[in-house]
Amino acid sequence: MNESVRNTAVTNAAVKNDTTRTYDVIVIGGGPVGENVAERARAAGLSTVIIERDLIGGECSFWACDPSKALLRPVVARADASRIPGLDPAVAGPLDVDAVLAHRDKMSSYWKDEDQVDWLDSVSVDLIRGHGRLTGPKQVAVQTPEGDTITLTARHAVAVSTGSRAALPPIPGLDTVRPWTSREATSADKVPGRLAVVGGGVVAVEMATAWQALGSQVTMLVLENGLLERMEPFAGELITDGLREAGVDIRFNTTVTSLARESGQDGEVRITLSDGTQLAADEILLATGRAPQTRDVGLETVGLTPGGWLTVDDTFQVTGVDGGWLYAVGDVNRRALMTHQGKYQARIAGTVIGARANGEPIDDAAWGAHVATADHAAVPQVVFTTPEIASVGLTTREIEQSGRHIEVVDYDLAHIAGAHQYVEDYRGHARMLIDTDRNTVVGVTFAGPGVGELVHSATIAVAGEVPLDRLWHAVPAFPTLGEVWLRLLETHRG
């Protein structure tokens, strides 16, 4: 540890008064990504402050991961139970909507962040509530809710972890209909009779699954020719079948050309489609992508463009900014817009900041301690629908575009003994992608009930670059869904 950092650590870091403060590290954004950057920097002995204008814990805790999975868990559990002999009559009735929404509220901590604030205190990270903006190199101004301005200086680093927001398409009439975004879809306190969902990605399919099961008549309006277009085609096909069986009306190759809400704010939404037909709904959810929360964080003061994604290297330093002091972590860098991946980035970024501040060498080789190699090669994802989708690594399309030599190994999950134990009439599919030059697994996708719990085994295989000859000795327990690994390897061996 160099002398300046040692002295800072001894004094617990912050030189401060009412309006001017100095820290080693300033983190703008107090979601799970910002929290992890701050914790790792603090663990390295650096004084650290988080600036947050909303709730500590961010989108994931209050409007995304936690509330959405609380809505979906009863749906998925009932779907599975309805296909288990002896349980199916007991779960034939509708979900208890009030109980599901109450559980969602509990899992969202009733939209209060006291526990998150207590955690910051426990790791000795300061918190300033307000809107933080860069004002120059290593300089941040915070406008507090009381109207005061606090000026901050960073000795070593500023990390922008402000996340992303719903990207709304330029549809005529949009500003008149008060549309749902992912925030409203996960926090609504009543079930709309008719819900239109615009989009075909993860948010769209998960929220269509949840609200259809809670009693809405859901219509999906999808611009593309299928769902989950970035994943293996069979994933979207199986989800399409599942949603339609549940009663969802899915319309592909459909464009919304205009919107209007009749009779003021409480009237129905009139949706005009590209073929001239109209559709009526009580609410409309726009699940059409994400945009970075960078419009008002002062990027122009350091030579960057407000509102844009922030390009970073594999240690999360922002490119195009002199001095190496600015970092961008999580959704704002557009590398992998998922909470678990953002937290992975944050652990690396906080460690990198600490190492550089302490004059320690940087391990920037592939899979090194200070680089986020998994962002490129081993990003896991679970889509909590019926059926579930779990994937990690590359897809067939991505590998074909890269020119690498691969073998595609497919297997019908319904042939697994553990699948028959899981539910009757199991439907699912597994695909393993093998780099034939290196004899390692580079991508895996599972689709079917319960496959979310398989994703970490796949992640270990991909991130660990486990040779297939060694993977053969990883014996799956019988009878479990994990036996699919044996069957995939047997299929590969012929």
Side-chain angles (χ1 to χ4, degrees), residues 215-298:
S216 289
Q217 175 53 58
V218 175
T219 301
M220 296 188 71
L221 307 172
V222 185
L223 178 64
E224 296 83 8
N225 193 40
L227 301 178
L228 301 181
E229 289 282 272
R230 295 184 180 180
M231 304 185 84
E232 297 287 4
F234 64 80
E237 292 165 5
L238 283 167
I239 288 182
T240 299
D241 291 343
L243 286 169
R244 283 179 167 160
E245 288 172 8
V248 176
D249 177 8
I250 306 176
R251 307 184 189 186
F252 294 118
N253 302 307
T254 299
T255 302
V256 177
T257 57
S258 67
L259 298 169
R261 188 179 285 273
E262 297 186 350
S263 304
Q265 292 297 304
D266 297 323
E268 68 180 18
V269 180
R270 282 285 172 184
I271 306 163
T272 303
L273 306 179
S274 52
D275 62 3
T277 61
Q278 285 197 333
L279 173 70
D282 298 294
E283 299 292 350
I284 182 169
L285 164 61
L286 298 179
T288 50
R290 307 291 295 177
Q293 291 271 34
T294 59
R295 288 184 298 184
D296 192 19
V297 293

Side-chain angles (χ1 to χ4, degrees), residues 61-62 66-67 70 99-112 115:
S61 299
F62 300 106
D66 287 338
V100 172
L101 295 183
H103 175 63
R104 183 273 317 272
D105 294 351
K106 179 180 179 182
M107 293 303 293
S108 302
S109 301
Y110 305 100
W111 292 275
K112 297 179 181 178
D115 288 346

Side-chain angles (χ1 to χ4, degrees), residues 103-462:
H103 175 63
R104 183 273 317 272
D105 294 351
K106 179 180 179 182
M107 293 303 293
S108 302
S109 301
Y110 305 100
W111 292 275
K112 297 179 181 178
D113 64 359
E114 287 91 341
D115 288 346
Q116 305 273 6
V117 174
D118 289 344
W119 179 82
L120 288 182
D121 288 340
S122 74
V123 295
S124 301
V125 171
D126 285 355
L127 167 64
I128 300 175
R129 292 194 184 271
H131 185 85
R133 298 177 183 84
L134 292 163
T135 57
K138 298 185 182 180
Q139 301 293 316
V140 177
V142 184
Q143 191 75 24
T144 70
E146 296 77 23
D148 299 322
T149 299
I150 299 174
T151 301
L152 304 178
T153 300
R155 294 189 184 92
H156 297 289
V158 176
V160 177
S161 303
T162 47
S164 64
R165 57 179 174 81
L168 301 182
I171 302 173
L174 178 64
D175 58 346
T176 70
V177 300
R178 198 183 69 256
W180 278 12
T181 67
S182 54
R183 280 198 167 202
E184 290 76 19
T186 57
S187 62
D189 58 6
K190 64 180 181 179
V191 179
R194 299 163 298 175
L195 175 65
V197 178
V198 181
V202 174
V203 171
V205 298
E206 288 191 344
M207 291 298 94
T209 298
W211 288 105
Q212 178 74 28
L214 289 169
S216 289
Q217 175 53 58
V218 175
T219 301
M220 296 188 71
L221 307 172
V222 185
L223 178 64
E224 296 83 8
N225 193 40
L227 301 178
L228 301 181
E229 289 282 272
R230 295 184 180 180
M231 304 185 84
E232 297 287 4
F234 64 80
E237 292 165 5
L238 283 167
I239 288 182
T240 299
D241 291 343
L243 286 169
R244 283 179 167 160
E245 288 172 8
V248 176
D249 177 8
I250 306 176
R251 307 184 189 186
F252 294 118
N253 302 307
T254 299
T255 302
V256 177
T257 57
S258 67
L259 298 169
R261 188 179 285 273
E262 297 186 350
S263 304
Q265 292 297 304
D266 297 323
E268 68 180 18
V269 180
R270 282 285 172 184
I271 306 163
T272 303
L273 306 179
S274 52
D275 62 3
T277 61
Q278 285 197 333
L279 173 70
D282 298 294
E283 299 292 350
I284 182 169
L285 164 61
L286 298 179
T288 50
R290 307 291 295 177
Q293 291 271 34
T294 59
R295 288 184 298 184
D296 192 19
V297 293
L299 295 182
E300 68 280 1
T301 68
V302 294
L304 299 175
T305 302
W309 302 99
L310 295 175
T311 303
V312 297
D313 63 19
D314 275 354
T315 68
F316 301 104
Q317 283 185 332
V318 177
T319 60
V321 176
D322 293 338
W325 57 272
L326 184 62
Y327 292 74
V329 192
D331 281 10
V332 290
N333 62 40
R334 207 183 191 180
R335 289 164 64 107
L337 277 67
M338 285 166 276
T339 296
H340 51 269
Q341 209 68 21
K343 291 166 70 173
Y344 159 76
Q345 295 177 6
R347 292 189 294 270
I348 289 172
T351 303
V352 166
I353 291 169
R356 286 178 170 143
N358 290 319
E360 299 168 358
I362 300 300
D363 179 7
D364 58 2
W367 303 109
H370 299 126
V371 294
T373 308
D375 279 355
H376 307 297
V379 176
Q381 182 174 16
V382 178
V383 185
F384 294 85
T385 44
T386 52
E388 288 182 344
I389 309 297
S391 68
V392 65
L394 304 176
T395 64
T396 308
R397 184 186 301 112
E398 289 170 333
I399 292 181
E400 288 173 345
Q401 291 172 348
S402 73
R404 296 165 68 173
H405 300 107
I406 64 161
E407 178 186 350
V408 179
V409 182
D410 286 301
Y411 195 81
D412 186 344
L413 273 166
H415 295 160
I416 302 294
H420 293 286
Q421 295 284 357
Y422 198 87
V423 295
E424 282 194 326
D425 301 319
Y426 192 103
R427 284 179 291 172
H429 193 82
R431 173 169 291 178
M432 178 173 69
L433 305 179
I434 297 170
D435 184 326
T436 55
D437 293 330
R438 303 184 64 198
N439 207 36
T440 58
V441 180
V442 293
V444 183
T445 299
F446 301 115
V451 298
E453 297 305 324
L454 294 175
V455 73
H456 196 58
S457 61
T459 303
I460 291 169
V462 173

